[in-house]
């Protein structure tokens, strides 16, 4: 199937394959955090169907459709990847696997990793056998990420890591962490950082969950106390980790922005809101606001398509990820404000399930670089304002 | 659907148009016309006709270049950047599309050759509402008598032909009549954007069955795609003017100093400019998409077109308001061009349906 290059023939083949292989239970469109299959050494499958779906998809590399086949992917170029995603969406299928490994570490390794690192790390990510977390932020290094202080000393036959990370999403569930550490404290701040892979089970690593306003506690403080890390665990050159970090962030931002439109993955805002008004949307002010949001959602989703088309034709997308991150996440916050508002006091009960996602979206414009940081990047890099 | 990236031909067309317009119709050209009290530059239009722009939506066997809606939007977008004024939208986009739907070869030929300039007489009140047309076409022997009035007829003061929407016995009918028909009085409006629009009053204006575009009582099947084409091209013009206004503003931030530093170093302004850029990027996608949707099926492009028009209205408003604000006092002067952009943005926002009109179309199609 993966060797079919003709787009129409490929579409039919994928369609048939999905018909036969995507379990019915996995066709409910549930891609919310609670239903995501994150994978990992200790992953508890929600159902047999979830496990079967992951196994079948990963056997063909379809958990990471664009990665090369030798590293566990399906080797699809963008055109066929798009077809595959469209076909998934057509039957409302869940993604078989989502993870920080897929969104962030994988692309960084493909670009900066050695052949050996790719062979070691990519296939387990593709099969959902390992769960990664991201150790960027520190108490003193948020938007000013390049000021990370976590110390990493060269001990000859290994690295020795000491320091603290914060806001590490799912650190308590992850098997490993990709972290920014300082390998040269005397160099200018961007020039003394390395990108290091650390086993969360290593001696000296500990985590402490932090409770979020949405009630759950998916992120943690992560502590490194004399942690020994093998020498080969640096991705890219030592002291050049900032390049890797920035590259990874563009992938992270694209991923975060996609959730904002609700067009690709979900139902039209109008329809969602109309559910709350069985006798018609009588609140004209709310309706007007929802129309504005819907207009933005449609146009942003077209912009995502346009940027994909641009990259297909080899045209540069400039600082597309910063733009989409900013616009998509601000819109997502608006969407959830409107959904809360439409549901009135019904939405105020935790059990209605609307409040947690509403609160969670407030983080979208903070995580992965704040809206203000995105605007700063655009002002400097696109508009050359300084 | 075709990709949301300009094709090589479209890029070439845009470059060619830009080269021509920068030279022949920069903003100063509109200013000169205004200062001279002129509403139209026949020489400029003749040049556009010679380049095939008048026939861009007309089939080759009717003398056109038949390049399609996306190409028409490319031209309109470039015209927006320099505020080039011409009957392109009323004639080459709206009228040509209506006449093409009706298979009116002779009339199309007259447009492509530059012989006819058309205006669309549709509005009767301050807001766009074609369904509420009151102008009556009463059957009279073999023909019709038209009575009533039309408002905001763009290019009504320079057109020699008028497409007029009228109410007939069983619905709405579109007529193609001469602008100098007996009983038709044209009153020029003094428009803020220094372009032409007129009020038309019809007093027993005679029309025949041959003057009907398409079929009687069924104006919308020819007019709806024509309006969609006009709305998309106007959205393209509008995003063109928005990006030009933004570019002027961004350049000014880098020139002007206050407090001993360039004002571009103030983060409050940087973020506002960056936000504006994001808005223009998103709207650019919607405009491209509208052209593609029309090329696919001009009768089924409402969502794409209304989306482009609505987004363009909002983005242009932001661009000109921020444009004046970030220029300070100089932005308020007539000598500076920003005011021309602001006034054109306001007119474009009303023509062929305002933000509320298009938002309503979208809401209807998206299940509100
Ligand atoms: C839900 C969630 C999950 C996260 N997951 C992870 C994770 O897995 N791994 C990880 O490493 N990190 C993670 N983060 C951390 C996130 O990346 C940081 O919170 C973010 O980079 C902002 O840093 P900060 O919190 O220190 O805020 P600060 O940088 O202190 O920002 C405070 C305010 O100041 C503004 N500000 C800062 N600098 C500027 C400037 N130059 N100009 C204008 N305004 C400015 C900010 O925009 C913000 O409004 C997560 C955060 C959240 C909320």
């Amino acid at each position: 199937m993966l060797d079919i290059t003709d787009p129409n023939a490929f579409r039919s083949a994928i369609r048939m394959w999905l018909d036969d292989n995507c379990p019915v239970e996995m066709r409910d469109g549930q891609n919310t955090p609670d239903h995501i299959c994150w994978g990992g050494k200790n992953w508890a499958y929600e159902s047999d169907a979830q496990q079967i779906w992951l196994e079948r998809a990963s056997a063909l590399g379809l958990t990471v459709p664009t990665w090369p086949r030798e590293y566990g992917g399906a080797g699809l170029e963008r055109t066929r990847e798009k077809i595959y995603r469209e076909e998934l969406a057509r039957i409302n299928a869940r993604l078989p696997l989502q993870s920080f490994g897929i969104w962030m570490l994988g692309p960084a390794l493909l670009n900066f990793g050695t052949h050996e690192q790719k062979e070691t790390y990519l296939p387990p990510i593709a099969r959902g056998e390992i769960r990664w977390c991201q150790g960027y932020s520190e108490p003193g290094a948020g938007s000013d990420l390049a000021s990370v202080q976590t110390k990493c000393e060269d001990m000859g036959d290994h690295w020795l890591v000491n320091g603290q990370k914060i806001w590490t999403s799912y650190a308590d569930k992850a098997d490993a962490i990709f972290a920014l550490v300082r390998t040269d404290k005397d160099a200018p701040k961007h020039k003394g950082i390395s990108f290091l892979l650390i086993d969360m089970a290593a001696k000296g690593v500990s985590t402490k969950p932090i409770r979020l306003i949405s009630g759950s506690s998916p992120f943690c403080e992560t502590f490194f106390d004399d942690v020994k890390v093998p020498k080969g665990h640096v991705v890219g050159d030592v002291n050049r980790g900032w390049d890797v970090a920035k590259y990874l962030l563009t992938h992270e931002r694209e991923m975060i922005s996609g959730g904002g439109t609700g067009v690709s993955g979900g139902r039209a805002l109008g329809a969602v809101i109309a559910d709350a008004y069985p006798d018609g949307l009588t609140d004209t002010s709310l309706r007007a606001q929802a129309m504005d949001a819907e207009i933005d959602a449609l146009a942003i989703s077209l912009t995502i398509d346009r940027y994909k088309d641009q990259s297909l034709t080899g045209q540069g997308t400039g600082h597309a990820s910063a733009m989409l991150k900013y616009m998509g996440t601000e819109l997502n916050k608006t969407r959830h404000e409107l959904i809360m508002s439409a549901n009135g006091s019904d939405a105020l009960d935790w059990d209605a399930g609307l409040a947690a996602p509403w609160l969670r979206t407030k983080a979208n414009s903070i995580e992965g670089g704040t809206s203000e940081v995105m605007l700063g990047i655009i002002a400097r890099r696109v508009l050359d304002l300084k | 659907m075709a990709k949301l990236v300009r094709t090589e031909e479209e890029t070439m067309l845009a470059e060619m148009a830009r080269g021509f317009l920068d030279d022949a119709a920069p903003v100063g050209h509109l200013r000169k016309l205004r200062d001279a009290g002129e509403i139209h530059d026949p020489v400029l239009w003749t040049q556009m006709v010679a380049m095939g722009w008048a026939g861009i939506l007309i089939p080759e066997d009717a003398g056109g270049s038949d390049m399609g809606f996306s190409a028409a939007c490319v031209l309109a977008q470039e015209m927006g950047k320099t505020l080039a004024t011409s009957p392109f939208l009323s004639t080459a986009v709206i009228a040509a599309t209506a006449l093409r739907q009706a298979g009116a070869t002779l009339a199309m030929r007259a447009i492509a050759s530059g012989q006819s300039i058309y205006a669309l007489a549709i509005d009767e009140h301050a807001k766009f509402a074609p369904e509420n047309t009151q102008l009556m076409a009463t059957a009279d022997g073999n023909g019709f008598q038209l009575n009533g009035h039309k408002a905001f007829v763009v290019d009504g003061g320079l057109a020699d032909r008028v497409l007029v929407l009228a109410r007939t016995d069983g619905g709405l009918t579109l007529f193609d009549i001469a602008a100098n028909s007996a009983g038709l009085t044209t009153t020029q409006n003094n428009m803020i954007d220094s372009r032409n629009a007129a009020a038309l009053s019809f007093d027993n204006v005679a029309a025949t069955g041959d003057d009907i575009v398409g079929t009687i009582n069924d104006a919308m099947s020819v007019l709806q795609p024509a309006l969609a084409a006009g709305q998309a091209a106007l959205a393209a013009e509008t995003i063109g003017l928005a990006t030009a206004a933004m570019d002027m503003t961004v350049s000014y931030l880098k020139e002007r100093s206050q407090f001993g530093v360039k004002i571009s170093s103030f983060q409050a302004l940087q973020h506002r400019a960056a936000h504006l850029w994001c808005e223009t990027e998103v709207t650019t996608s919607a405009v491209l998409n509208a052209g593609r949707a029309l090329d696919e099926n001009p009768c089924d492009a409402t969502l794409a077109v209304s989306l482009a028009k609505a987004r363009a209205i909002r983005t242009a408003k932001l661009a000109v308001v921020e444009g004046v604000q970030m220029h300070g006092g100089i932005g308020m002067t007539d000598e500076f061009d920003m005011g021309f952009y602001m006034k054109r943005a306001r007119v474009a926002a009303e023509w062929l349906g305002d933000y509320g009109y298009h938002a309503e179309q979208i809401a209807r199609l998206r299940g509100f």
Side-chain angles (χ1 to χ4, degrees):
Chain A
M1 174 172 74
L2 301 176
D3 295 320
I4 303 174
T5 51
D6 174 69
N8 290 328
F10 178 73
R11 188 183 294 279
S12 328
I14 275 286
R15 198 172 280 193
M16 258 168 60
W17 182 84
L18 285 173
D19 264 354
D20 295 342
N21 290 282
C22 180
V24 187
E25 300 93 314
M26 294 291 107
R27 302 185 194 189
D28 59 0
Q30 288 285 3
N31 280 317
T32 54
D34 285 350
H35 295 284
I36 288 178
C37 177
W38 292 102
K41 291 201 180 90
N42 304 313
W43 182 245
Y45 289 98
E46 171 192 296
S47 60
D48 290 345
Q50 193 184 52
Q51 180 168 6
I52 291 168
W53 180 215
L54 171 61
E55 285 168 3
R56 289 179 181 166
S58 63
L60 286 182
L62 288 171
T63 48
V64 284
T66 59
W67 291 11
R69 289 193 208 173
E70 58 174 325
Y71 302 132
L76 300 183
E77 76 301 330
R78 293 267 189 193
T79 310
R80 285 186 298 160
E81 182 215 1
K82 201 170 161 193
I83 293 174
Y84 166 60
R85 299 224 182 264
E86 284 164 2
E87 289 304 312
L88 280 179
R90 198 181 56 83
I91 60 165
N92 222 7
R94 296 191 197 179
L95 292 174
L97 179 68
Q98 301 189 60
S99 72
F100 286 30
I102 294 178
W103 295 325
M104 304 182 211
L105 180 61
L109 281 171
L110 283 167
N111 207 34
F112 291 94
T114 60
H115 176 64
E116 200 191 334
Q117 286 173 332
K118 292 179 197 172
E119 269 190 332
T120 311
Y121 297 111
L122 293 175
I125 292 175
R127 290 191 298 264
E129 290 164 2
I130 185 167
R131 185 164 180 186
W132 286 90
C133 64
Q134 178 188 32
Y136 275 30
S137 306
E138 294 179 3
S143 298
D144 183 14
L145 182 60
S147 65
V148 286
Q149 296 302 332
T150 294
K151 201 162 73 174
C152 177
E153 293 165 279
D154 188 345
M155 307 303 282
D157 62 342
H158 66 271
W159 300 103
L160 190 67
V161 180
N162 276 289
Q164 185 199 338
K165 295 289 171 185
I166 195 165
W167 322 130
T168 326
S169 296
Y170 308 111
D172 52 342
K173 307 205 168 58
D175 306 308
I177 182 168
F178 49 91
L180 297 183
V181 294
R182 187 150 300 279
T183 33
D184 185 348
K185 62 179 178 6
D186 301 321
K189 67 178 180 180
H190 295 93
K191 304 249 164 78
I193 297 170
S194 298
F195 189 101
L196 191 68
L197 307 178
I198 305 172
D199 186 347
M200 289 297 281
K203 191 161 165 279
V205 181
S206 60
T207 61
K208 202 169 126 202
I210 308 169
R211 192 175 151 97
L212 282 172
I213 54 176
S214 56
S216 61
S217 48
F219 64 15
C220 302
E221 289 177 281
T222 306
F223 302 93
F224 303 103
D225 192 7
D226 281 335
V227 178
K228 288 184 181 174
V229 181
K231 281 311 264 287
H233 282 206
V234 172
V235 179
D237 294 336
V238 173
N239 291 329
R240 298 298 302 271
W242 186 243
D243 296 340
V244 186
K246 275 193 306 186
Y247 180 82
L248 183 146
L249 278 172
T250 62
H251 285 270
E252 178 179 6
R253 285 167 190 162
E254 274 165 31
M255 188 280 299
I256 296 173
S257 64
T261 60
V263 169
S264 38
R267 296 163 67 212
L269 182 60
V272 176
I273 287 182
D275 284 352
Y277 287 83
D279 302 326
L281 213 176
T282 45
D283 179 339
T284 50
S285 158
L286 180 71
R287 183 167 182 275
Q289 294 174 59
M291 273 154 61
D292 288 350
E294 185 73 2
I295 286 170
D296 289 346
L298 290 166
I300 291 172
S301 145
L302 286 169
T303 307
I304 295 173
D305 290 348
R306 177 161 73 91
Y307 285 165
K308 281 196 184 137
D309 286 347
Q310 271 182 9
S311 64
L312 279 179
T313 56
Q315 298 178 26
T317 52
H319 292 275
S321 67
M323 197 284 273
L324 290 175
K325 162 86 176 42
Y326 167 61
M327 296 292 272
T329 59
E330 292 297 336
L331 174 65
N332 205 24
K333 291 197 291 186
T334 304
R335 263 178 76 82
H336 283 267
E337 284 296 339
L338 292 168
I339 292 169
M340 284 300 282
S341 185
N343 286 279
S345 61
D346 287 351
L348 305 181
D349 188 328
W350 283 114
D351 297 336
L354 295 173
W358 161 65
L359 290 162
R360 179 61 182 83
T361 58
K362 300 304 181 214
N364 295 159
S365 51
I366 299 171
E367 58 199 332
T370 67
S371 284
E372 292 73 24
V373 167
M374 296 304 105
L375 288 171
I377 289 175
I378 292 162
R380 272 193 316 280
R381 307 248 187 275
V382 181
L383 304 178
D384 193 29
L385 296 172
K386 46 191 178 252
Chain B
M1 190 158 76
K3 291 204 165 62
L4 288 178
V5 196
R6 279 189 175 170
T7 62
E8 226 166 278
E9 296 84 68
E10 286 164 358
T11 306
M12 274 165 54
L13 181 68
E15 276 163 16
M16 196 269 287
R18 192 171 318 144
F20 170 74
L21 294 167
D22 278 346
D23 200 39
V27 188
H29 178 258
L30 177 65
R31 180 188 291 277
K32 247 191 238 145
L33 288 176
R34 180 199 66 176
D35 292 348
E38 306 275 348
I39 51 166
H40 176 51
D41 176 0
V43 176
L44 178 65
W45 181 236
T46 307
Q47 288 173 305
M48 291 181 175
V49 170
M51 290 185 293
W53 294 7
I56 193 157
L57 292 173
I58 291 172
E60 285 174 17
D61 57 19
S65 52
D66 201 12
M67 294 171 69
F69 296 102
S70 295
C73 289
V74 166
L75 291 184
Q77 192 164 339
E78 292 306 321
M79 292 178 197
K81 289 184 188 164
T82 65
L83 300 182
T85 177
S86 81
F88 177 74
L89 253 71
S90 357
T91 303
V93 177
I94 301 171
T97 303
L99 295 165
R100 184 174 189 162
Q101 292 291 321
T105 309
L106 282 180
M108 282 192 280
R109 197 174 284 285
I111 288 180
S113 67
Q115 194 192 321
S116 290
I117 290 180
Y118 270 86
L120 174 69
I122 186 166
D123 292 3
E124 297 180 1
H125 299 286
K127 288 289 174 185
F128 178 77
E131 314 290 338
N132 296 343
T133 294
Q134 297 299 320
L135 187 140
M136 287 300 299
T138 335
D140 175 32
N142 283 336
F144 299 87
Q145 296 274 352
L146 273 56
N147 281 291
H149 76 275
K150 290 287 177 183
F152 192 22
V153 178
V154 172
D155 293 331
L158 52 112
D160 54 298
R161 309 282 318 171
V162 182
L163 290 183
V164 51
L165 184 63
R167 190 159 290 282
T168 34
D169 261 354
L172 294 173
T173 303
L174 190 66
F175 291 91
D176 177 354
I177 62 169
N180 62 2
S181 301
L184 174 53
T185 318
T186 302
T187 315
Q188 311 261 354
N189 298 133
N190 180 18
M191 297 295 289
I192 57 170
D193 65 345
S194 312
R195 302 192 191 204
N196 182 254
L200 266 51
S201 109
F202 293 74
D203 184 13
N204 284 332
V205 176
T208 69
D210 289 345
D211 296 332
I212 294 176
V213 184
T215 29
I216 188 166
N217 293 329
D218 186 23
M220 280 308 160
S221 57
V222 296
L223 192 55
Q224 194 272 332
L227 288 172
Q231 287 153 347
L234 187 56
E237 184 194 320
T238 307
I239 187 62
L241 85 80
T243 51
M246 173 180 72
D247 290 347
M248 282 165 70
T249 306
V250 168
S251 306
Y252 187 70
L253 297 181
K254 296 175 191 172
E255 279 162 27
R256 170 76 173 162
S257 293
Q258 280 295 281
F259 299 97
V261 293
K262 295 281 186 238
I263 60 171
S264 61
S265 63
F266 300 139
Q267 197 186 49
L269 299 186
Q270 290 178 351
H271 282 194
R272 282 163 64 173
H275 173 76
L276 173 58
W277 180 80
C278 293
E279 294 285 348
T280 62
E281 276 293 288
V282 169
T283 300
T284 298
S285 314
V287 167
L288 251 167
N289 181 57
R292 296 283 182 256
L294 281 165
D295 281 326
E296 198 143 286
N297 181 0
C299 299
D300 185 25
T302 307
L303 179 64
V305 168
S306 284
L307 183 65
K309 182 75 164 67
R311 280 283 324 179
I313 291 171
R314 232 165 58 194
T315 304
K317 181 160 89 183
L318 182 70
V320 296
V321 168
E322 290 289 66
V324 168
Q325 180 66 22
M326 291 196 226
H327 276 86
I330 199 178
M332 286 299 294
T333 62
D334 182 68
E335 195 189 329
F336 191 66
D337 289 336
M338 190 59 78
F340 282 83
Y341 284 88
M342 179 173 271
K343 288 174 267 192
R344 179 58 185 164
R346 186 82 275 284
V347 173
E350 290 300 327
W351 191 21
L352 302 173
D354 64 1
Y355 183 81
Y357 174 87
H358 289 287
E360 200 53 59
Q361 301 290 316
I362 295 164
R364 186 171 52 79
L365 292 164
R366 296 288 293 173
F368 279 70

